[in-house]
Structure formats: C-alpha cells, structure tokens
C-alpha cells in the first residue's frame, strides 16, 4: 500500500511554479504567470500556538472534589507554585485564549490555526472545554484548524494512569487528581487523591473523535481536503469520499524503533507498530491551501510490547523528536508534503504549512554559542533541527511554515542549492511572557505579510488572584515559619496580563531556569552582580584569585556556592589587599565608558541581578519583542556591555570538571559572559519577527515598520 501511495503522490508532482512561489524554484515573473485569484480579506489566517487550554471552571466528574466555589463557578485550577515553576501558565491562559479570539474577530479574521499543544495534556475535561470555546466562536463566523502537539496527544493511545499533583485544594493546599488506573487510585490507602478519568490523557482516537470538526476531518464548507493516504485528488474530490477515508483506521503508518517501516523498512528494524498520522491538507477558501502536519513522532521504546501496543510507556515522548525524527521515521509524510508543495505551484495555490515543531534553528542562529557557553543540552537545544534535517525539509518545496512548541517568537529563512526557499515563523505561546499570535496575509502574488499581535491586556486575567492569596497564606502557615515566602506575592498586584507574565517570567527564572540552565560558577555571577558591577568586571585586571574571595568582601560582596569550585592549593601570587586598587581602576574605566555612551554607572548599578537574568530569559523566548519592555535606557545599557569585553581572553582553568579556585577573579566572567551578552544580542536582534514581509520573488524578509527596539 505504501509503495502505491508514494507513486500516486509523485505522479501528482509538477516541475513548474505558481506566481507566489516563483522564488522557490527560479521561475520568471511575467504578467501572465502572475495571474491568480484576487486576494480577499478573509484569506488572512491567525496562528495561535501553545494555548495549553485548561478549563479552569471545568467539571472533574468527581464527587470527592468539585473544585473551589467562586462567584463564577467551581474553580478547578492549578496552584500558583505550579505556575511559577512551569514553562507555561495553567490558568490565566484560559482568559488569554478568549482575548486572542476576540482580538482576531475584531480584525475580521475568520480562519484560525493551532500549531499544536492546544490543550494542557489532552485530558477530557480540558479538551471538552476547548471545544466549547470553539463552538462559541464558530457561531460568530470563525473556522478552526488544528495540528497536534506533544501534549495532545501525549502518547498515541489513551493513558488512564495520568494526572496532576498540583491542583489547588479547598484550603489552598496542593490536591492530587489522577486517572483511575494511576497507582494512587489503585491504592485504597491513598485517601488524599481524587480519582477521575476527566484527567486521563487521550490518544489520537479519542482526540479525533472529539475534535474531528476542526480540520482532522473534512467539512462540507471546504473546497478541498485530503490526507497523506487519500486515494483521490482535486479532480475527483467529493466530500462523501473524503469523509469515508478520514477515519483513523485509514490513516496509519508503520513506525519502528530505528525508522519508518512499510516500504522503508530495513532488515534490522525492531519494535514495529502501526500508529496514526493525522496530517491533512485543506482548502478552506478558494486558492488558499492550509497544510496541517502531524509532526509528532512517537518512537517505540525498548519496553514496547507488540502484544499490548497501547500499554503506557511503550513509546517515547514526541517533545524532543520533532522534524529531526520526521525525516527518518515519517518519510512517507515527507513525500506527501513534497507532493502538496509541487501541486500548490502547479495549481497557483497560496500554501502555508503549520506543525507543532520548528523546521530550522529558532535561536537566531545562536544555538552553537548557547551550547558552548551553557552546555550541550541547556535551553532545550536538543530540540533544534540539525542542518541536515532542515535541508531535507527545504527540499520538499514547502515555502512557509508556522511552528510552535518552543513558546518563542522568532523568524528564520533558508534557501537551498536547488533554489527552494523556506521561511519558518515561530508563533509565541499564549501561556507565557510575550503572549501573542501571528497573522499571515497574502498581500500579493509574491508577497506574504506576517504580523505579530501581542496580548498585553487580557480581561479577567486577575480573576483567580484571591485564590492564590489563600494558597500563599496556607503555605506560610503550613511551614510553621511566618517569615516563609513560597513565592513573591507582589505578582498579585500586577495590573494587566503583560505585567503579570513579565513578573511570572522573573519568578520562573529565579525558581527554575537559573538552576536548570546555568552552570554553577556562571550562576554565582549572574545571581549576584548588578549591571554596573558587570561593566566593572568587564574592565577588571587582577591577579587576586577565587581562593581569596573571602578576603575581598569589603570591595566585592560576592560568594561562591558550595561545590562550584575545585581547590588547587596553589599559593596566592599577590595579596588580596591589592584587589581594592584593581577594582578602583576598573571602576574608573567603567565609569568613563558609561559617560562616553551617554549613560551613568550609578544607573547601571540599579539594574539588579534579578533584573538581568529575567531580561535574558525573556529575550530568549520573546526575541526582539522583549526589548520594548526593557525600555530604551536598558537596551542602551546592554549594548554598552556587549561592546566592552576584552577582545581576547584565555579560557579559565578547569579541574575535575569544575572551575579551579586558582583563576583570577575577573577571568571566568570575562570569558563566559562575553558569550552570554553575545547570545542576548543575537536573540534580541534576529531576523524580522514582529511585522514583516516575505518577498518570494527576491527570497528576502523585509521589516514592515516594526516598532521594536534592537541591539544593533
């Protein structure tokens, strides 16, 4: 079957280009070739990635716990502690989602696409709640199209062992809520657990059964609809035929541990199983092709049991796989994508693809610097597509791809030797700092406009704040220490969604990112030095070493975390007393650099370490959008630091995998933080990501009047 499928799609491929995609294949741009369906306003498409919808007033279907009574209903929410240590919000994004839909509706946008992770984890309560919202806005004229993410589904099949331990209980305490087959629910002594399948995690079958109306199945309103497995084409299409072929049973491929099975299966392939691929192509309005790609790759694990393929744990999660595994484990889907791209050129269709995962480097080409500075797998760099992967994706001829997954805002593009040109747009999450959605508009036969719509003001964003206050008070009381502060409750004083998510990301940086991503010695520096001290450190020359830090506290109040240093037992080259003079000279140099730049060293000293690493992580995620929140003065201060490091600095001495205490105090900072600020500059000044034009005739990205600040 796979062989005939590939032949059928290859037969559909053509070697000539549509006007929109001339640049991708080197065609001419004569007037007759530019003839196309007139662009209409309803061809705008909004992309809302990583909604992570959690129904905060949903029904857990349990008599043991109905939620916390409020004037708006029973709140079935997660704790603030859980939110502040998670890379996504769980509760406030409920309001942000509605605000985004209202925003798009006000702009006259009727086509909405979700590049995956539309739900918290595919739980019935949350998926049903998500559907209710879509049904509400369908009545207002909107249509919705979904691509699956690694949270929906979390695995190919239903998982009744799933659940969460951090719901908020009646008194503000953490409350366990698990599905019926979870070990807590099978233990009669676990009386503190709420057991309900409203918190199970649904697989493909269940999700398509509930959400089939949103792209997973054809709609009579569509001009055309197909899957990688369709036995028809545009010429003999009918809704009845499409609906008959849209069942999950008709959309299966064989996946093995080592790669795709079927016609691609090798003799040494093991642990093979048939699972769904729910990719689809839809033409919702004449002339526009929306390509939803199921880029989830669930690879069978060593524990996969072919006699019980639905047993939990039989497949690896899809989160780190993405397109790196698509090219090896979904080769038939890759062939289909190529077929779609070729037919789009042939038939003058405006093609835009979306999937959950980025198709190319998404850190403004800073990945190698991030890895060399912070470590090979920090900042989730294992999720970055390899160069080889990106080349194979570009070779499909797909011209434009909207991705999610990374909760980030960025744009990248690439052209291969054959002339194929691909633009990858990362749409931010609605559930993090920098919350926004993207709007794609086909403004001419060869140009596509991309706009970023930020969600700074979200109605009702603070509706749950009284419950968080209850949680805070409970946690302090439970600790037995009135001075205990589980988190900074000043977050409950924020005035809008922008302030709230900004504060949230500062707390997330402090409570998680610093320990998770920053090496021990770098974390010591980043968590203690203000921006003025960093500028002084960039100019410091001293022979006083880390071993002597306890003796220089009068000049530099800096402590080293236990276990961060390796003792060298080398005698000190100079007295620690010389450090005061060295620091004074460096301060004078820093003060002059600041004055030359129209800045004040004193003002830079007011920018705390907390401010700095919060800014750093916000920029990693939101890119250039974060700079406006910093403000012009802060951006100017960072630009000064970026230009102030010595040109050549020797690597610090490492002993037993740790920083040696024989290193001069200035050396580790100057060696590592030069790269830290290079990364900050790179991600904050990448390719246009706010408001820009993709020009396929010139194969370029053009800024279209973005108001964002820049480090350039």
């Amino acid at each position: 079957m796979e062989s005939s499928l590939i032949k059928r799609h290859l037969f559909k491929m053509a070697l000539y280009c549509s006007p929109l995609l001339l640049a991708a294949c080197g065609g001419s741009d004569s007037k007759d070739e530019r003839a196309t369906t007139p662009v209409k306003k309803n061809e705008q498409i909004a992309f809302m990635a990583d909604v992570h919808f959690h129904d905060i007033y949903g029904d857990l279907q349990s008599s043991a716990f109905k939620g916390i009574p409020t004037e708006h209903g029973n709140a079935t929410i997660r704790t603030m502690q859980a939110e502040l240590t998670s890379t996504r919000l769980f509760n406030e994004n409920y309001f942000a989602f509605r605000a985004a839909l209202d925003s798009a509706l006000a702009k006259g946008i009727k086509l909405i696409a979700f590049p995956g992770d539309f739900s918290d984890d595919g739980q019935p309560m949350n998926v049903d709640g998500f559907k209710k919202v879509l049904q509400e806005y369908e009545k207002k004229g909107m249509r919705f199209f979904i691509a699956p993410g690694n949270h929906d589904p979390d695995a190919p099949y239903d998982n009744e062992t799933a659940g969460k331990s951090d719901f908020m209980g009646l008194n503000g305490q953490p409350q366990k809520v698990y599905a019926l087959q979870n070990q807590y629910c099978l233990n009669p002594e676990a009386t503190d657990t709420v057991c309900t399948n409203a918190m199970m995690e649904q697989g493909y079958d269940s999700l398509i059964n509930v959400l089939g109306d949103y792209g997973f199945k054809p709609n009579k309103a569509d001009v055309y609809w197909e899957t990688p497995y369709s036995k028809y084409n545009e010429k003999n299409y009918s809704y009845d035929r499409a609906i008959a072929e849209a069942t999950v049973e008709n959309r299966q491929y064989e996946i093995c541990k080592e790669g795709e099975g079927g016609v691609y299966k090798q003799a040494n392939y093991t642990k093979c199983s048939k699972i769904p691929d729910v990719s689809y192509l839809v033409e919702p309005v004449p002339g526009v092709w929306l390509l939803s790609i199921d880029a989830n790759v669930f690879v069978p694990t060593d524990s996969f049991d072919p006699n019980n393929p639905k047993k939990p744990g039989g497949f690896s999660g899809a989160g780190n796989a993405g397109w790196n595994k698509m090219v090896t484990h979904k080769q038939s889907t890759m062939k289909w994508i190529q077929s779609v791209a070729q037919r789009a050129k042939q038939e003058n269709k405006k093609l835009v693809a979306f999937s959950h995962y980025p198709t190319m480097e998404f850190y403004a080409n800073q990945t190698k610097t991030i890895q060399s500075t912070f470590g090979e797998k920090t900042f989730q760099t294992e999720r970055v597509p390899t160069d080889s992967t990106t080349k194979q994706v570009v070779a499909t001829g797909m011209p434009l791809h909207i991705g999610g997954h990374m909760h980030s805002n960025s744009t990248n593009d690439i052209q291969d030797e054959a002339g194929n040109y691909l633009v990858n747009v990362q749409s931010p999450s609605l559930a993090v700092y920098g919350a926004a959605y993207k709007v794609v508009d086909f403004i001419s036969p060869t140009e596509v406009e991309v706009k970023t719509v930020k969600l700074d003001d979200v109605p009702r964003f603070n509706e749950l704040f009284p419950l968080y206050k209850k949680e805070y008070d409970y946690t302090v009381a439970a600790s037995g220490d009135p001075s205990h502060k589980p988190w900074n409750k000043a977050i409950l004083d924020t005035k809008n969604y922008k302030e709230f998510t900004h504060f949230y990301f500062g707390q997330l940086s402090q409570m998680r990112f610093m320990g998770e991503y920053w090496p021990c010695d770098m974390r010591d520096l980043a968590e203690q030095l203000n921006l003025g001290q960093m500028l002084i450190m960039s100019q410091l020359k001293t022979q006083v070493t880390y071993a002597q830090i306890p003796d220089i506290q009068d000049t530099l109040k800096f402590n080293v975390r236990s276990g961060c240093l390796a003792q060298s037992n080398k005698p000190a080259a100079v007295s620690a007393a010389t450090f005061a003079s060295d620091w004074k000279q460096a301060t004078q140099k820093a003060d002059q650099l600041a004055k030359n730049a129209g800045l004040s060293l004193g003002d830079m000293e007011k920018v705390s370490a907390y401010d700095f690493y919060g800014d750093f992580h916000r920029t990693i995620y939101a890119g250039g959008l974060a700079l406006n929140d910093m403000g012009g003065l802060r951006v100017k201060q960072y630009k000064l630091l970026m230009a102030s490091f010595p040109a050549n600095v020797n690597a610090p001495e490492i002993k037993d995998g740790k920083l040696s205490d024989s290193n001069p105090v200035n050396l580790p900072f100057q060696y590592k933080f030069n790269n830290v600020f290079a990364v900050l500059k790179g991600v904050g000044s990448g390719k246009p990501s706010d408001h820009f034009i993709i020009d396929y005739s010139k194969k370029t990205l053009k800024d279209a009047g973005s108001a964002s600040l820049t480090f350039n």
Side-chain angles (χ1 to χ4, degrees):
M1 183 181 74
E2 289 86 350
S3 179
S4 62
L5 173 65
I6 294 166
K7 289 179 181 178
R8 184 162 59 254
H9 287 307
L10 289 175
F11 176 76
K12 293 178 182 178
M13 294 180 186
L15 297 177
Y16 57 97
C17 301
S18 76
L20 175 62
L21 307 175
L22 283 172
C25 52
S28 67
D29 57 351
S30 62
K31 290 183 179 179
D32 57 332
E33 283 183 285
R34 287 175 181 265
T36 186
T37 304
V39 175
K40 300 177 182 178
K41 271 298 179 183
N42 66 359
E43 289 180 354
Q44 292 184 98
I45 307 169
F47 291 85
M48 299 180 182
D50 298 277
V51 175
H52 288 289
F53 185 87
H54 174 93
D55 193 349
I56 62 172
Y57 293 115
D59 186 354
L60 284 169
Q61 300 290 318
S62 170
S63 58
F65 181 62
K66 295 182 178 297
I68 307 171
T70 76
E71 61 180 302
H72 302 283
N74 290 329
T76 49
I77 64 173
R78 311 279 281 280
T79 63
M80 175 61 79
Q81 175 69 28
E83 292 202 296
L84 296 181
T85 53
S86 169
T87 54
R88 68 182 192 270
L89 295 169
F90 299 116
N91 304 325
E92 283 65 37
N93 39 313
Y94 173 92
F95 305 113
F97 179 40
R98 286 182 167 275
L101 292 176
D102 288 335
S103 168
L105 190 65
K107 298 177 189 300
I109 301 170
K110 299 298 181 67
L111 302 178
I112 313 294
F114 301 108
D117 283 5
F118 51 85
S119 70
D120 176 56
D121 269 316
Q123 306 98 330
M125 183 184 82
N126 297 325
V127 173
D128 292 347
F130 178 71
K131 182 178 180 178
K132 287 179 183 177
V133 175
L134 299 192
Q135 289 174 326
E136 176 185 336
Y137 283 84
E138 275 185 301
K139 295 176 182 178
K140 300 177 182 181
M142 286 182 157
R143 290 203 61 200
F144 302 100
F145 303 92
I146 295 173
N150 60 301
H151 284 268
D152 35 42
D154 188 65
Y157 305 107
D158 290 356
N159 179 6
E160 294 186 27
T161 68
K164 306 295 179 184
S165 63
D166 51 20
F167 273 79
M168 188 188 295
L170 289 171
N171 299 314
Q173 81 280 16
Q175 173 65 60
K176 299 185 182 73
V177 182
Y178 288 104
L180 298 179
Q181 295 303 308
N182 183 274
Q183 59 178 346
Y184 286 102
C185 293
L186 297 176
N187 179 4
E189 297 180 2
T191 56
D192 61 341
T193 302
V194 174
C195 299
T196 169
N197 267 0
M199 278 293 108
M200 66 176 282
E201 294 174 354
Q202 298 176 100
Y204 278 116
D205 282 349
S206 298
L207 287 172
I208 292 177
N209 183 53
V210 177
L211 299 172
D213 290 341
Y214 306 109
F216 290 135
K217 295 180 181 180
N219 188 303
K220 288 184 178 180
D222 299 330
V223 178
Y224 181 70
W225 186 94
E226 73 172 39
T227 77
Y229 311 95
S230 296
K231 298 179 175 63
Y232 53 81
N233 57 35
E234 300 90 316
K235 294 181 180 180
N236 58 8
Y237 173 76
S238 72
Y239 169 77
D240 290 339
R241 187 171 184 180
I243 199 72
E245 295 187 24
T247 63
V248 175
E249 292 75 20
N250 289 329
R251 300 161 74 176
Q252 305 271 332
Y253 74 106
E254 186 179 33
I255 188 169
C256 306
K257 181 180 178 182
E258 296 79 10
E260 182 170 358
V263 297
Y264 302 99
K265 195 171 185 178
Q266 303 295 314
N268 63 331
Y269 280 14
T270 61
K271 304 289 184 179
C272 300
S273 178
K274 287 268 191 175
I275 63 173
D277 175 294
V278 296
S279 303
Y280 60 90
L281 169 67
V282 63
E283 186 171 355
V285 295
V288 173
W289 275 12
L290 189 56
L291 179 60
S292 172
I293 301 170
D294 178 1
N296 281 340
V297 183
F298 298 106
V299 180
T301 64
D302 288 336
S303 61
F304 174 77
D305 182 0
N307 296 317
N308 188 11
K310 297 183 180 183
K311 182 180 179 181
F315 295 88
S316 64
N320 291 338
W323 286 88
N324 285 330
K325 292 295 185 183
M326 280 285 292
V327 299
T328 56
H329 288 68
K330 282 195 173 184
Q331 296 181 65
S332 58
T333 303
M334 294 292 292
K335 287 289 186 182
W336 175 69
I337 295 170
Q338 185 178 20
S339 166
V340 170
Q342 291 291 343
R343 285 181 282 141
K345 296 173 187 178
Q346 179 182 3
E347 300 175 28
N348 293 339
K349 305 294 184 182
K350 305 176 186 72
L351 175 64
V352 55
F354 67 109
S355 79
H356 188 52
Y357 306 94
T359 59
M360 62 185 75
E361 217 271 14
F362 48 80
Y363 280 136
N365 299 320
Q366 296 299 310
T367 294
K368 291 183 179 178
T369 305
I370 290 173
Q371 290 175 323
S372 64
T373 305
F374 294 92
E376 281 297 314
K377 294 185 179 181
T378 54
F379 289 97
Q380 303 181 85
T381 51
E382 59 201 314
R383 295 180 169 182
V384 176
T386 66
D387 291 343
S388 173
T389 291
T390 297
K391 288 178 181 178
Q392 293 178 71
V393 178
V394 176
T396 65
M398 179 171 61
L400 174 60
H401 175 268
I402 315 297
H405 192 41
M406 300 312 301
H407 299 184
S408 64
N409 172 69
S410 66
T411 310
N412 209 346
D413 61 344
I414 190 170
Q415 180 181 342
D416 68 11
E417 294 179 356
N420 295 303
Y421 179 60
L422 172 61
V423 177
N424 185 85
V425 176
Q426 285 301 114
S427 185
S429 169
L430 302 185
V432 299
Y433 168 76
Y437 65 91
K438 299 286 184 178
V439 177
V440 169
D441 195 0
F442 299 94
I443 60 174
S444 84
T446 59
E447 293 180 312
V448 177
E449 182 179 29
V450 180
K451 294 180 181 179
T452 306
V453 182
K454 295 185 67 180
L455 296 176
D456 292 342
D457 294 300
V458 169
R460 301 171 58 191
F461 85 97
N462 58 356
E463 189 166 294
L464 303 172
F465 281 16
L467 301 185
Y468 298 138
K469 175 64 166 57
K470 179 185 290 188
E471 173 197 340
Y472 186 93
D473 292 343
Y474 170 86
T475 306
V476 172
S479 72
D481 179 3
S483 65
H484 175 65
K485 296 180 180 180
W487 35 268
N488 189 342
K489 66 179 180 180
I491 193 172
L492 304 182
D493 297 325
T494 53
K495 303 304 182 185
N496 54 48
Y497 196 58
K498 175 182 174 181
E499 282 187 19
F500 176 77
T501 56
H502 187 280
F503 202 117
Y504 147 65
F505 237 61
Q507 290 285 282
L508 175 62
S509 297
Q510 183 180 65
M511 299 170 73
R512 177 172 171 178
F513 286 160
M514 295 306 296
E516 186 172 334
Y517 292 147
W518 291 67
C520 193
D521 55 294
M522 290 178 62
R523 180 182 175 186
D524 281 337
L525 293 162
E527 288 187 331
Q528 296 183 67
L529 301 179
N530 62 50
L531 222 56
Q533 291 172 314
M534 288 188 177
L535 185 61
I536 296 170
M537 286 284 277
S538 75
Q539 303 303 304
L540 181 64
K541 294 181 179 179
T542 187
Q543 293 185 57
V544 175
T545 67
Y546 264 64
Q548 296 170 282
I549 282 179
D551 301 322
I552 61 172
Q553 293 294 306
D554 289 344
T555 304
L556 178 63
K557 292 180 173 58
F558 176 73
N559 296 305
V560 180
R561 196 180 313 272
S562 176
C564 285
L565 290 179
Q567 291 185 352
S568 65
N569 297 317
K570 291 183 179 179
V574 298
S575 167
T578 64
F579 186 78
S581 176
D582 297 337
W583 186 258
K584 181 178 180 179
Q585 292 182 37
T587 301
Q588 291 171 344
K589 291 180 181 178
D591 184 61
Q592 190 59 53
L593 285 173
K595 289 178 180 178
N596 293 345
L599 297 169
S600 159
L601 183 61
D603 285 343
M604 293 183 70
E605 289 174 340
K606 296 175 184 177
V607 182
S608 69
Y610 179 82
D611 293 330
F612 159 71
Y613 61 71
D615 285 344
F616 183 86
H617 295 128
R618 292 184 196 100
T619 310
I620 285 283
Y621 278 79
L625 297 180
L627 273 61
N628 281 8
D629 290 346
M630 295 179 196
L633 176 60
R634 184 78 56 85
V635 168
K636 195 173 181 180
Q637 291 168 338
Y638 283 134
K639 287 175 68 175
L640 173 60
L641 262 164
M642 292 166 185
S644 297
F645 284 82
N648 296 298
V649 179
N650 293 328
E653 181 180 335
I654 302 297
K655 181 182 178 182
D656 299 328
K658 296 181 181 181
L659 186 71
S660 171
D661 66 3
S662 66
N663 285 291
V665 171
N666 60 300
L667 184 59
F669 177 84
Q670 291 175 357
Y671 183 77
K672 284 285 190 177
F673 277 71
N674 187 23
N675 282 342
V676 169
F677 282 100
V679 169
L680 181 62
K681 180 177 181 178
V683 295
S685 306
K687 295 178 181 180
S689 63
D690 181 5
H691 182 196
F692 58 97
I693 306 293
I694 307 170
D695 187 334
Y696 283 96
S697 65
K698 297 178 181 178
K699 301 175 184 175
T700 59
L701 303 172
K702 301 183 296 183
D703 191 282
S706 169
S708 294
L709 296 170
T710 177
F711 287 132
N712 290 328

